[in-house]
Amino acid sequence: MGFIAFLILGLIVGAIAKAILPGRQSGGILITMLLGVVGALIGGWIGGAIFGVGLENFWSLQTWLVAIVGSLVVLGIYGAVVGRKA
């Protein structure tokens, strides 16, 4: 998958992960989408290492699921770290 497609995937997945994650998260939509990009990258790396599923195809359901799970994990960790400081 190309770099631009990966960024678009991460931005969309970040918004989806924020909608799925319960409760109020700190940070605006820009932070959430950037964390979505990081989460998609981490999700693709973990998915490739454990399940053999990566982020090769933009329209693959596996790609989207792995990216969403990675974004949920990153948003959860971010919420726990930032929530503890506030």
Side-chain angles (χ1 to χ4, degrees):
M1 178 169 28
F3 182 71
I4 300 296
F6 178 74
L7 285 177
I8 292 170
L9 173 72
L11 294 175
I12 294 170
V13 165
I16 292 171
K18 185 166 185 147
I20 292 173
L21 203 63
R24 181 181 163 103
Q25 296 91 26
S26 60
I29 192 72
L30 182 64
I31 296 292
T32 302
M33 290 184 170
L34 290 174
L35 290 172
V37 172
V38 172
L41 178 66
I42 291 172
W45 179 71
I46 291 172
I50 295 174
F51 304 113
V53 176
L55 299 173
E56 291 87 24
N57 191 359
F58 184 80
W59 296 110
S60 171
L61 181 62
Q62 293 172 338
T63 298
W64 284 83
L65 290 176
V66 166
I68 289 171
V69 169
S71 294
L72 284 171
V73 169
V74 169
L75 281 175
I77 292 170
Y78 176 77
V81 169
V82 172
R84 209 177 310 150
K85 289 182 181 178

